[in-house]
PDB file of all heavy atoms in Angstrom:
ATOM      1  N   LEU A 117     -15.753   7.206   1.075  1.00 74.00           N
ATOM      2  CA  LEU A 117     -15.387   7.557   2.445  1.00 74.00           C
ATOM      3  C   LEU A 117     -16.674   7.762   3.259  1.00 74.00           C
ATOM      4  O   LEU A 117     -16.809   7.436   4.364  1.00 74.00           O
ATOM      5  CB  LEU A 117     -14.531   8.824   2.505  1.00 74.00           C
ATOM      6  CG  LEU A 117     -13.010   8.756   2.181  1.00 74.00           C
ATOM      7  CD1 LEU A 117     -12.401  10.059   2.173  1.00 74.00           C
ATOM      8  CD2 LEU A 117     -12.408   7.804   3.194  1.00 74.00           C
ATOM      9  N   ASP A 118     -17.643   8.447   2.612  1.00 69.00           N
ATOM     10  CA  ASP A 118     -18.851   8.733   3.314  1.00 69.00           C
ATOM     11  C   ASP A 118     -19.726   7.437   3.558  1.00 69.00           C
ATOM     12  O   ASP A 118     -20.488   7.484   4.554  1.00 69.00           O
ATOM     13  CB  ASP A 118     -19.739   9.727   2.418  1.00 69.00           C
ATOM     14  CG  ASP A 118     -20.944  10.167   3.151  1.00 69.00           C
ATOM     15  OD1 ASP A 118     -20.836  10.965   4.167  1.00 69.00           O
ATOM     16  OD2 ASP A 118     -22.101   9.783   2.809  1.00 69.00           O
ATOM     17  N   ASN A 119     -19.450   6.507   2.801  1.00 62.00           N
ATOM     18  CA  ASN A 119     -20.126   5.194   3.002  1.00 62.00           C
ATOM     19  C   ASN A 119     -19.552   4.211   3.976  1.00 62.00           C
ATOM     20  O   ASN A 119     -20.009   3.181   4.318  1.00 62.00           O
ATOM     21  CB  ASN A 119     -20.350   4.472   1.592  1.00 62.00           C
ATOM     22  CG  ASN A 119     -21.225   5.173   0.696  1.00 62.00           C
ATOM     23  OD1 ASN A 119     -22.067   5.973   1.130  1.00 62.00           O
ATOM     24  ND2 ASN A 119     -21.168   4.839  -0.682  1.00 62.00           N
ATOM     25  N   HIS A 120     -18.346   4.623   4.475  1.00 61.00           N
ATOM     26  CA  HIS A 120     -17.588   3.854   5.411  1.00 61.00           C
ATOM     27  C   HIS A 120     -17.354   4.609   6.762  1.00 61.00           C
ATOM     28  O   HIS A 120     -17.682   5.721   6.842  1.00 61.00           O
ATOM     29  CB  HIS A 120     -16.295   3.353   4.813  1.00 61.00           C
ATOM     30  CG  HIS A 120     -16.452   2.334   3.723  1.00 61.00           C
ATOM     31  ND1 HIS A 120     -16.838   2.756   2.442  1.00 61.00           N
ATOM     32  CD2 HIS A 120     -16.337   1.014   3.721  1.00 61.00           C
ATOM     33  CE1 HIS A 120     -16.906   1.642   1.613  1.00 61.00           C
ATOM     34  NE2 HIS A 120     -16.635   0.627   2.404  1.00 61.00           N
ATOM     35  N   THR A 121     -16.897   3.880   7.683  1.00 52.00           N
ATOM     36  CA  THR A 121     -16.698   4.474   9.017  1.00 52.00           C
ATOM     37  C   THR A 121     -15.243   5.179   9.131  1.00 52.00           C
ATOM     38  O   THR A 121     -14.918   5.679  10.276  1.00 52.00           O
ATOM     39  CB  THR A 121     -16.610   3.266  10.084  1.00 52.00           C
ATOM     40  OG1 THR A 121     -15.648   2.345   9.678  1.00 52.00           O
ATOM     41  CG2 THR A 121     -18.017   2.684  10.078  1.00 52.00           C
ATOM     42  N   LEU A 122     -14.598   5.419   8.017  1.00 50.00           N
ATOM     43  CA  LEU A 122     -13.278   6.083   8.024  1.00 50.00           C
ATOM     44  C   LEU A 122     -13.489   7.492   8.576  1.00 50.00           C
ATOM     45  O   LEU A 122     -12.517   8.040   9.103  1.00 50.00           O
ATOM     46  CB  LEU A 122     -12.601   6.126   6.725  1.00 50.00           C
ATOM     47  CG  LEU A 122     -12.032   4.784   6.256  1.00 50.00           C
ATOM     48  CD1 LEU A 122     -11.494   4.868   4.844  1.00 50.00           C
ATOM     49  CD2 LEU A 122     -10.949   4.380   7.217  1.00 50.00           C
ATOM     50  N   VAL A 123     -14.643   8.100   8.368  1.00 51.00           N
ATOM     51  CA  VAL A 123     -14.822   9.452   8.735  1.00 51.00           C
ATOM     52  C   VAL A 123     -14.709   9.644  10.279  1.00 51.00           C
ATOM     53  O   VAL A 123     -14.461  10.759  10.799  1.00 51.00           O
ATOM     54  CB  VAL A 123     -16.265   9.962   8.232  1.00 51.00           C
ATOM     55  CG1 VAL A 123     -16.239  10.120   6.753  1.00 51.00           C
ATOM     56  CG2 VAL A 123     -17.272   9.074   8.816  1.00 51.00           C
ATOM     57  N   ASN A 124     -14.909   8.579  10.951  1.00 56.00           N
ATOM     58  CA  ASN A 124     -14.843   8.691  12.435  1.00 56.00           C
ATOM     59  C   ASN A 124     -13.484   8.151  13.002  1.00 56.00           C
ATOM     60  O   ASN A 124     -13.263   8.132  14.191  1.00 56.00           O
ATOM     61  CB  ASN A 124     -15.952   7.897  13.125  1.00 56.00           C
ATOM     62  CG  ASN A 124     -17.343   8.403  12.747  1.00 56.00           C
ATOM     63  OD1 ASN A 124     -17.569   9.624  12.699  1.00 56.00           O
ATOM     64  ND2 ASN A 124     -18.256   7.471  12.496  1.00 56.00           N
ATOM     65  N   GLU A 125     -12.566   7.884  12.056  1.00 55.00           N
ATOM     66  CA  GLU A 125     -11.269   7.404  12.527  1.00 55.00           C
ATOM     67  C   GLU A 125     -10.334   8.497  12.611  1.00 55.00           C
ATOM     68  O   GLU A 125     -10.613   9.606  12.174  1.00 55.00           O
ATOM     69  CB  GLU A 125     -10.765   6.340  11.460  1.00 55.00           C
ATOM     70  CG  GLU A 125     -11.658   5.132  11.363  1.00 55.00           C
ATOM     71  CD  GLU A 125     -11.584   4.194  12.549  1.00 55.00           C
ATOM     72  OE1 GLU A 125     -10.468   4.284  13.303  1.00 55.00           O
ATOM     73  OE2 GLU A 125     -12.535   3.392  12.830  1.00 55.00           O
ATOM     74  N   PRO A 126      -9.082   8.262  13.241  1.00 56.00           N
ATOM     75  CA  PRO A 126      -8.011   9.348  13.251  1.00 56.00           C
ATOM     76  C   PRO A 126      -7.697   9.783  11.885  1.00 56.00           C
ATOM     77  O   PRO A 126      -7.862   9.104  10.806  1.00 56.00           O
ATOM     78  CB  PRO A 126      -6.945   8.629  14.016  1.00 56.00           C
ATOM     79  CG  PRO A 126      -7.599   7.496  14.739  1.00 56.00           C
ATOM     80  CD  PRO A 126      -8.732   7.049  13.911  1.00 56.00           C
ATOM     81  N   ASP A 127      -7.122  10.998  11.820  1.00 57.00           N
ATOM     82  CA  ASP A 127      -6.762  11.666  10.596  1.00 57.00           C
ATOM     83  C   ASP A 127      -5.797  10.736   9.740  1.00 57.00           C
ATOM     84  O   ASP A 127      -5.861  10.682   8.524  1.00 57.00           O
ATOM     85  CB  ASP A 127      -6.084  12.947  10.800  1.00 57.00           C
ATOM     86  CG  ASP A 127      -7.196  14.011  11.287  1.00 57.00           C
ATOM     87  OD1 ASP A 127      -8.344  13.720  11.233  1.00 57.00           O
ATOM     88  OD2 ASP A 127      -6.765  15.099  11.818  1.00 57.00           O
ATOM     89  N   GLU A 128      -4.815  10.090  10.419  1.00 60.00           N
ATOM     90  CA  GLU A 128      -3.889   9.281   9.828  1.00 60.00           C
ATOM     91  C   GLU A 128      -4.621   8.062   9.039  1.00 60.00           C
ATOM     92  O   GLU A 128      -4.221   7.734   7.872  1.00 60.00           O
ATOM     93  CB  GLU A 128      -2.809   8.707  10.796  1.00 60.00           C
ATOM     94  CG  GLU A 128      -1.891   9.678  11.360  1.00 60.00           C
ATOM     95  CD  GLU A 128      -2.572  10.497  12.551  1.00 60.00           C
ATOM     96  OE1 GLU A 128      -3.725  10.087  12.846  1.00 60.00           O
ATOM     97  OE2 GLU A 128      -1.968  11.408  13.151  1.00 60.00           O
ATOM     98  N   THR A 129      -5.519   7.449   9.734  1.00 65.00           N
ATOM     99  CA  THR A 129      -6.270   6.406   9.027  1.00 65.00           C
ATOM    100  C   THR A 129      -7.069   6.896   7.861  1.00 65.00           C
ATOM    101  O   THR A 129      -7.156   6.204   6.812  1.00 65.00           O
ATOM    102  CB  THR A 129      -7.204   5.755  10.119  1.00 65.00           C
ATOM    103  OG1 THR A 129      -6.445   5.428  11.271  1.00 65.00           O
ATOM    104  CG2 THR A 129      -7.876   4.572   9.538  1.00 65.00           C
ATOM    105  N   VAL A 130      -7.603   8.080   7.957  1.00 65.00           N
ATOM    106  CA  VAL A 130      -8.462   8.618   6.892  1.00 65.00           C
ATOM    107  C   VAL A 130      -7.536   8.953   5.707  1.00 65.00           C
ATOM    108  O   VAL A 130      -7.803   8.540   4.506  1.00 65.00           O
ATOM    109  CB  VAL A 130      -9.086   9.927   7.268  1.00 65.00           C
ATOM    110  CG1 VAL A 130      -9.838  10.610   6.150  1.00 65.00           C
ATOM    111  CG2 VAL A 130     -10.197   9.576   8.423  1.00 65.00           C
ATOM    112  N   VAL A 131      -6.443   9.512   5.897  1.00 72.00           N
ATOM    113  CA  VAL A 131      -5.433   9.787   4.830  1.00 72.00           C
ATOM    114  C   VAL A 131      -4.954   8.526   4.197  1.00 72.00           C
ATOM    115  O   VAL A 131      -4.792   8.429   2.935  1.00 72.00           O
ATOM    116  CB  VAL A 131      -4.159  10.588   5.451  1.00 72.00           C
ATOM    117  CG1 VAL A 131      -3.080  10.713   4.345  1.00 72.00           C
ATOM    118  CG2 VAL A 131      -4.586  11.952   5.840  1.00 72.00           C
ATOM    119  N   GLU A 132      -4.647   7.517   5.015  1.00 72.00           N
ATOM    120  CA  GLU A 132      -4.241   6.227   4.518  1.00 72.00           C
ATOM    121  C   GLU A 132      -5.366   5.579   3.541  1.00 72.00           C
ATOM    122  O   GLU A 132      -5.071   5.080   2.505  1.00 72.00           O
ATOM    123  CB  GLU A 132      -3.897   5.260   5.595  1.00 72.00           C
ATOM    124  CG  GLU A 132      -3.468   3.857   5.139  1.00 72.00           C
ATOM    125  CD  GLU A 132      -3.147   2.969   6.269  1.00 72.00           C
ATOM    126  OE1 GLU A 132      -3.140   3.376   7.470  1.00 72.00           O
ATOM    127  OE2 GLU A 132      -2.879   1.751   5.965  1.00 72.00           O
ATOM    128  N   GLY A 133      -6.669   5.709   4.035  1.00 69.00           N
ATOM    129  CA  GLY A 133      -7.760   5.231   3.284  1.00 69.00           C
ATOM    130  C   GLY A 133      -7.901   5.919   1.909  1.00 69.00           C
ATOM    131  O   GLY A 133      -8.163   5.302   0.811  1.00 69.00           O
ATOM    132  N   VAL A 134      -7.675   7.273   1.973  1.00 74.00           N
ATOM    133  CA  VAL A 134      -7.814   8.042   0.877  1.00 74.00           C
ATOM    134  C   VAL A 134      -6.717   7.733  -0.218  1.00 74.00           C
ATOM    135  O   VAL A 134      -7.065   7.529  -1.395  1.00 74.00           O
ATOM    136  CB  VAL A 134      -7.772   9.545   1.118  1.00 74.00           C
ATOM    137  CG1 VAL A 134      -7.649  10.429  -0.130  1.00 74.00           C
ATOM    138  CG2 VAL A 134      -9.013  10.025   1.927  1.00 74.00           C
ATOM    139  N   LEU A 135      -5.529   7.499   0.317  1.00 76.00           N
ATOM    140  CA  LEU A 135      -4.461   7.168  -0.684  1.00 76.00           C
ATOM    141  C   LEU A 135      -4.641   5.817  -1.288  1.00 76.00           C
ATOM    142  O   LEU A 135      -4.276   5.626  -2.438  1.00 76.00           O
ATOM    143  CB  LEU A 135      -3.126   7.236   0.084  1.00 76.00           C
ATOM    144  CG  LEU A 135      -2.709   8.694   0.528  1.00 76.00           C
ATOM    145  CD1 LEU A 135      -1.400   8.696   1.394  1.00 76.00           C
ATOM    146  CD2 LEU A 135      -2.440   9.571  -0.616  1.00 76.00           C
ATOM    147  N   LYS A 136      -5.173   4.824  -0.420  1.00 75.00           N
ATOM    148  CA  LYS A 136      -5.406   3.506  -0.987  1.00 75.00           C
ATOM    149  C   LYS A 136      -6.365   3.532  -2.183  1.00 75.00           C
ATOM    150  O   LYS A 136      -6.334   2.590  -3.050  1.00 75.00           O
ATOM    151  CB  LYS A 136      -5.805   2.632   0.099  1.00 75.00           C
ATOM    152  CG  LYS A 136      -4.726   2.235   1.058  1.00 75.00           C
ATOM    153  CD  LYS A 136      -5.296   1.232   2.040  1.00 75.00           C
ATOM    154  CE  LYS A 136      -4.108   0.722   3.107  1.00 75.00           C
ATOM    155  NZ  LYS A 136      -4.703  -0.210   4.104  1.00 75.00           N
ATOM    156  N   MET A 137      -7.327   4.446  -2.065  1.00 76.00           N
ATOM    157  CA  MET A 137      -8.340   4.498  -3.179  1.00 76.00           C
ATOM    158  C   MET A 137      -7.862   5.448  -4.298  1.00 76.00           C
ATOM    159  O   MET A 137      -8.114   5.152  -5.495  1.00 76.00           O
ATOM    160  CB  MET A 137      -9.682   4.918  -2.605  1.00 76.00           C
ATOM    161  CG  MET A 137     -10.324   3.873  -1.707  1.00 76.00           C
ATOM    162  SD  MET A 137     -12.022   4.374  -1.298  1.00 76.00           S
ATOM    163  CE  MET A 137     -11.625   5.655  -0.034  1.00 76.00           C
ATOM    164  N   LEU A 138      -7.297   6.505  -3.919  1.00 77.00           N
ATOM    165  CA  LEU A 138      -6.883   7.554  -5.021  1.00 77.00           C
ATOM    166  C   LEU A 138      -5.806   7.242  -5.823  1.00 77.00           C
ATOM    167  O   LEU A 138      -5.920   7.398  -7.049  1.00 77.00           O
ATOM    168  CB  LEU A 138      -6.766   8.911  -4.236  1.00 77.00           C
ATOM    169  CG  LEU A 138      -6.607  10.187  -5.121  1.00 77.00           C
ATOM    170  CD1 LEU A 138      -7.801  10.407  -5.968  1.00 77.00           C
ATOM    171  CD2 LEU A 138      -6.253  11.373  -4.323  1.00 77.00           C
ATOM    172  N   LEU A 139      -4.772   6.693  -5.147  1.00 79.00           N
ATOM    173  CA  LEU A 139      -3.576   6.363  -6.030  1.00 79.00           C
ATOM    174  C   LEU A 139      -3.783   5.323  -7.146  1.00 79.00           C
ATOM    175  O   LEU A 139      -3.403   5.517  -8.281  1.00 79.00           O
ATOM    176  CB  LEU A 139      -2.475   5.880  -5.049  1.00 79.00           C
ATOM    177  CG  LEU A 139      -1.782   6.998  -4.275  1.00 79.00           C
ATOM    178  CD1 LEU A 139      -0.662   6.354  -3.327  1.00 79.00           C
ATOM    179  CD2 LEU A 139      -1.157   8.115  -5.036  1.00 79.00           C
ATOM    180  N   PRO A 140      -4.514   4.267  -6.798  1.00 79.00           N
ATOM    181  CA  PRO A 140      -4.873   3.278  -7.956  1.00 79.00           C
ATOM    182  C   PRO A 140      -5.701   3.955  -9.013  1.00 79.00           C
ATOM    183  O   PRO A 140      -5.513   3.700 -10.235  1.00 79.00           O
ATOM    184  CB  PRO A 140      -5.695   2.127  -7.282  1.00 79.00           C
ATOM    185  CG  PRO A 140      -5.207   2.221  -5.756  1.00 79.00           C
ATOM    186  CD  PRO A 140      -5.008   3.704  -5.465  1.00 79.00           C
ATOM    187  N   LEU A 141      -6.596   4.864  -8.566  1.00 78.00           N
ATOM    188  CA  LEU A 141      -7.468   5.552  -9.629  1.00 78.00           C
ATOM    189  C   LEU A 141      -6.584   6.437 -10.498  1.00 78.00           C
ATOM    190  O   LEU A 141      -6.806   6.546 -11.782  1.00 78.00           O
ATOM    191  CB  LEU A 141      -8.467   6.358  -8.937  1.00 78.00           C
ATOM    192  CG  LEU A 141      -9.726   5.665  -8.358  1.00 78.00           C
ATOM    193  CD1 LEU A 141     -10.631   6.550  -7.589  1.00 78.00           C
ATOM    194  CD2 LEU A 141     -10.503   4.950  -9.421  1.00 78.00           C
ATOM    195  N   LEU A 142      -5.604   7.185  -9.907  1.00 80.00           N
ATOM    196  CA  LEU A 142      -4.746   8.029 -10.677  1.00 80.00           C
ATOM    197  C   LEU A 142      -3.875   7.175 -11.650  1.00 80.00           C
ATOM    198  O   LEU A 142      -3.559   7.556 -12.761  1.00 80.00           O
ATOM    199  CB  LEU A 142      -3.865   8.762  -9.803  1.00 80.00           C
ATOM    200  CG  LEU A 142      -4.584   9.920  -8.930  1.00 80.00           C
ATOM    201  CD1 LEU A 142      -3.647  10.674  -7.946  1.00 80.00           C
ATOM    202  CD2 LEU A 142      -5.281  10.871  -9.802  1.00 80.00           C
ATOM    203  N   LEU A 143      -3.428   5.952 -11.075  1.00 81.00           N
ATOM    204  CA  LEU A 143      -2.562   5.091 -12.003  1.00 81.00           C
ATOM    205  C   LEU A 143      -3.453   4.626 -13.109  1.00 81.00           C
ATOM    206  O   LEU A 143      -3.017   4.390 -14.267  1.00 81.00           O
ATOM    207  CB  LEU A 143      -2.020   3.916 -11.041  1.00 81.00           C
ATOM    208  CG  LEU A 143      -1.149   2.969 -11.818  1.00 81.00           C
ATOM    209  CD1 LEU A 143       0.044   3.679 -12.406  1.00 81.00           C
ATOM    210  CD2 LEU A 143      -0.782   1.817 -10.859  1.00 81.00           C
ATOM    211  N   PHE A 144      -4.791   4.257 -12.741  1.00 79.00           N
ATOM    212  CA  PHE A 144      -5.652   3.873 -13.906  1.00 79.00           C
ATOM    213  C   PHE A 144      -5.881   4.918 -14.835  1.00 79.00           C
ATOM    214  O   PHE A 144      -5.843   4.648 -16.110  1.00 79.00           O
ATOM    215  CB  PHE A 144      -7.072   3.523 -13.148  1.00 79.00           C
ATOM    216  CG  PHE A 144      -8.085   3.103 -14.081  1.00 79.00           C
ATOM    217  CD1 PHE A 144      -8.032   1.940 -14.831  1.00 79.00           C
ATOM    218  CD2 PHE A 144      -9.270   3.868 -14.198  1.00 79.00           C
ATOM    219  CE1 PHE A 144      -8.978   1.492 -15.699  1.00 79.00           C
ATOM    220  CE2 PHE A 144     -10.224   3.453 -15.016  1.00 79.00           C
ATOM    221  CZ  PHE A 144     -10.102   2.318 -15.761  1.00 79.00           C
ATOM    222  N   THR A 145      -5.943   6.182 -14.517  1.00 78.00           N
ATOM    223  CA  THR A 145      -6.144   7.255 -15.342  1.00 78.00           C
ATOM    224  C   THR A 145      -4.836   7.396 -16.339  1.00 78.00           C
ATOM    225  O   THR A 145      -5.043   7.667 -17.468  1.00 78.00           O
ATOM    226  CB  THR A 145      -6.362   8.621 -14.571  1.00 78.00           C
ATOM    227  OG1 THR A 145      -7.448   8.525 -13.819  1.00 78.00           O
ATOM    228  CG2 THR A 145      -6.437   9.830 -15.524  1.00 78.00           C
ATOM    229  N   MET A 146      -3.705   7.292 -15.720  1.00 82.00           N
ATOM    230  CA  MET A 146      -2.513   7.479 -16.560  1.00 82.00           C
ATOM    231  C   MET A 146      -2.374   6.338 -17.539  1.00 82.00           C
ATOM    232  O   MET A 146      -1.962   6.524 -18.631  1.00 82.00           O
ATOM    233  CB  MET A 146      -1.272   7.531 -15.594  1.00 82.00           C
ATOM    234  CG  MET A 146      -1.151   8.659 -14.622  1.00 82.00           C
ATOM    235  SD  MET A 146      -0.958  10.244 -15.598  1.00 82.00           S
ATOM    236  CE  MET A 146       0.660   9.971 -16.317  1.00 82.00           C
ATOM    237  N   SER A 147      -2.697   5.122 -17.122  1.00 80.00           N
ATOM    238  CA  SER A 147      -2.662   3.983 -18.000  1.00 80.00           C
ATOM    239  C   SER A 147      -3.643   4.145 -19.127  1.00 80.00           C
ATOM    240  O   SER A 147      -3.289   3.787 -20.246  1.00 80.00           O
ATOM    241  CB  SER A 147      -2.957   2.705 -17.187  1.00 80.00           C
ATOM    242  OG  SER A 147      -2.048   2.525 -16.174  1.00 80.00           O
ATOM    243  N   LEU A 148      -4.804   4.628 -18.842  1.00 76.00           N
ATOM    244  CA  LEU A 148      -5.818   4.752 -19.919  1.00 76.00           C
ATOM    245  C   LEU A 148      -5.282   5.799 -20.941  1.00 76.00           C
ATOM    246  O   LEU A 148      -5.438   5.688 -22.129  1.00 76.00           O
ATOM    247  CB  LEU A 148      -7.185   5.317 -19.323  1.00 76.00           C
ATOM    248  CG  LEU A 148      -7.991   4.261 -18.683  1.00 76.00           C
ATOM    249  CD1 LEU A 148      -9.249   4.905 -18.071  1.00 76.00           C
ATOM    250  CD2 LEU A 148      -8.453   3.127 -19.662  1.00 76.00           C
ATOM    251  N   PHE A 149      -4.709   6.863 -20.402  1.00 79.00           N
ATOM    252  CA  PHE A 149      -4.223   7.929 -21.355  1.00 79.00           C
ATOM    253  C   PHE A 149      -3.009   7.451 -22.152  1.00 79.00           C
ATOM    254  O   PHE A 149      -2.964   7.702 -23.384  1.00 79.00           O
ATOM    255  CB  PHE A 149      -3.748   9.092 -20.516  1.00 79.00           C
ATOM    256  CG  PHE A 149      -3.115  10.251 -21.427  1.00 79.00           C
ATOM    257  CD1 PHE A 149      -3.937  11.076 -22.163  1.00 79.00           C
ATOM    258  CD2 PHE A 149      -1.724  10.415 -21.462  1.00 79.00           C
ATOM    259  CE1 PHE A 149      -3.414  12.044 -23.013  1.00 79.00           C
ATOM    260  CE2 PHE A 149      -1.166  11.512 -22.248  1.00 79.00           C
ATOM    261  CZ  PHE A 149      -1.982  12.195 -23.001  1.00 79.00           C
ATOM    262  N   TYR A 150      -2.180   6.641 -21.567  1.00 78.00           N
ATOM    263  CA  TYR A 150      -0.973   6.128 -22.329  1.00 78.00           C
ATOM    264  C   TYR A 150      -1.528   5.199 -23.385  1.00 78.00           C
ATOM    265  O   TYR A 150      -1.073   5.136 -24.586  1.00 78.00           O
ATOM    266  CB  TYR A 150      -0.072   5.321 -21.414  1.00 78.00           C
ATOM    267  CG  TYR A 150       1.066   4.738 -22.046  1.00 78.00           C
ATOM    268  CD1 TYR A 150       2.098   5.460 -22.536  1.00 78.00           C
ATOM    269  CD2 TYR A 150       1.145   3.370 -22.319  1.00 78.00           C
ATOM    270  CE1 TYR A 150       3.190   4.948 -23.184  1.00 78.00           C
ATOM    271  CE2 TYR A 150       2.219   2.732 -22.930  1.00 78.00           C
ATOM    272  CZ  TYR A 150       3.279   3.515 -23.361  1.00 78.00           C
ATOM    273  OH  TYR A 150       4.352   3.019 -24.107  1.00 78.00           O
ATOM    274  N   PHE A 151      -2.552   4.374 -23.080  1.00 75.00           N
ATOM    275  CA  PHE A 151      -3.136   3.445 -24.077  1.00 75.00           C
ATOM    276  C   PHE A 151      -3.712   4.229 -25.206  1.00 75.00           C
ATOM    277  O   PHE A 151      -3.605   3.879 -26.420  1.00 75.00           O
ATOM    278  CB  PHE A 151      -4.228   2.611 -23.373  1.00 75.00           C
ATOM    279  CG  PHE A 151      -5.042   1.826 -24.362  1.00 75.00           C
ATOM    280  CD1 PHE A 151      -4.586   0.620 -25.071  1.00 75.00           C
ATOM    281  CD2 PHE A 151      -6.242   2.206 -24.663  1.00 75.00           C
ATOM    282  CE1 PHE A 151      -5.332  -0.052 -25.915  1.00 75.00           C
ATOM    283  CE2 PHE A 151      -7.094   1.603 -25.562  1.00 75.00           C
ATOM    284  CZ  PHE A 151      -6.661   0.365 -26.249  1.00 75.00           C
ATOM    285  N   LYS A 152      -4.496   5.368 -24.906  1.00 74.00           N
ATOM    286  CA  LYS A 152      -5.048   6.187 -25.913  1.00 74.00           C
ATOM    287  C   LYS A 152      -4.013   6.762 -26.846  1.00 74.00           C
ATOM    288  O   LYS A 152      -4.179   6.758 -28.095  1.00 74.00           O
ATOM    289  CB  LYS A 152      -5.883   7.314 -25.318  1.00 74.00           C
ATOM    290  CG  LYS A 152      -6.478   8.277 -26.291  1.00 74.00           C
ATOM    291  CD  LYS A 152      -6.975   9.482 -25.582  1.00 74.00           C
ATOM    292  CE  LYS A 152      -7.335  10.544 -26.638  1.00 74.00           C
ATOM    293  NZ  LYS A 152      -7.922  11.732 -25.955  1.00 74.00           N
ATOM    294  N   HIS A 153      -2.873   7.250 -26.226  1.00 75.00           N
ATOM    295  CA  HIS A 153      -1.838   7.925 -27.030  1.00 75.00           C
ATOM    296  C   HIS A 153      -1.268   6.907 -28.024  1.00 75.00           C
ATOM    297  O   HIS A 153      -1.047   7.249 -29.193  1.00 75.00           O
ATOM    298  CB  HIS A 153      -0.757   8.453 -26.003  1.00 75.00           C
ATOM    299  CG  HIS A 153       0.398   9.088 -26.678  1.00 75.00           C
ATOM    300  ND1 HIS A 153       0.374  10.243 -27.378  1.00 75.00           N
ATOM    301  CD2 HIS A 153       1.630   8.584 -26.886  1.00 75.00           C
ATOM    302  CE1 HIS A 153       1.462  10.503 -27.863  1.00 75.00           C
ATOM    303  NE2 HIS A 153       2.346   9.582 -27.615  1.00 75.00           N
ATOM    304  N   ILE A 154      -0.884   5.739 -27.535  1.00 78.00           N
ATOM    305  CA  ILE A 154      -0.289   4.791 -28.351  1.00 78.00           C
ATOM    306  C   ILE A 154      -1.292   4.284 -29.501  1.00 78.00           C
ATOM    307  O   ILE A 154      -0.963   4.235 -30.678  1.00 78.00           O
ATOM    308  CB  ILE A 154       0.344   3.579 -27.558  1.00 78.00           C
ATOM    309  CG1 ILE A 154       1.372   4.084 -26.627  1.00 78.00           C
ATOM    310  CG2 ILE A 154       0.781   2.468 -28.509  1.00 78.00           C
ATOM    311  CD1 ILE A 154       2.610   4.700 -27.350  1.00 78.00           C
TER     312      ILE A 154
END
C-alpha cells in the first residue's frame, strides 16, 4: 500500500485494495497449513 497511490484514494478504494491482497494471502496460508497437516 505504501508503495502505491492507494493511500491517496477514497477509503472504499483502499479497503478494496487491501482485501484484494490480504484475502489471497490468507487463502495461501490456509492452503499451506492444510498441506502440512495432510
Side-chain angles (χ1 to χ4, degrees):
L117 283 176
D118 188 68
N119 291 342
H120 290 79
T121 58
L122 285 177
V123 291
N124 298 319
E125 297 292 334
D127 293 342
E128 294 80 2
T129 305
V130 173
V131 172
E132 182 181 355
V134 169
L135 292 177
K136 284 183 177 180
M137 288 186 286
L138 189 59
L139 290 180
L141 286 175
L142 294 178
L143 182 60
F144 177 62
T145 300
M146 295 295 296
S147 300
L148 284 176
F149 177 76
Y150 179 74
F151 169 77
K152 172 190 175 180
H153 176 72
I154 298 298

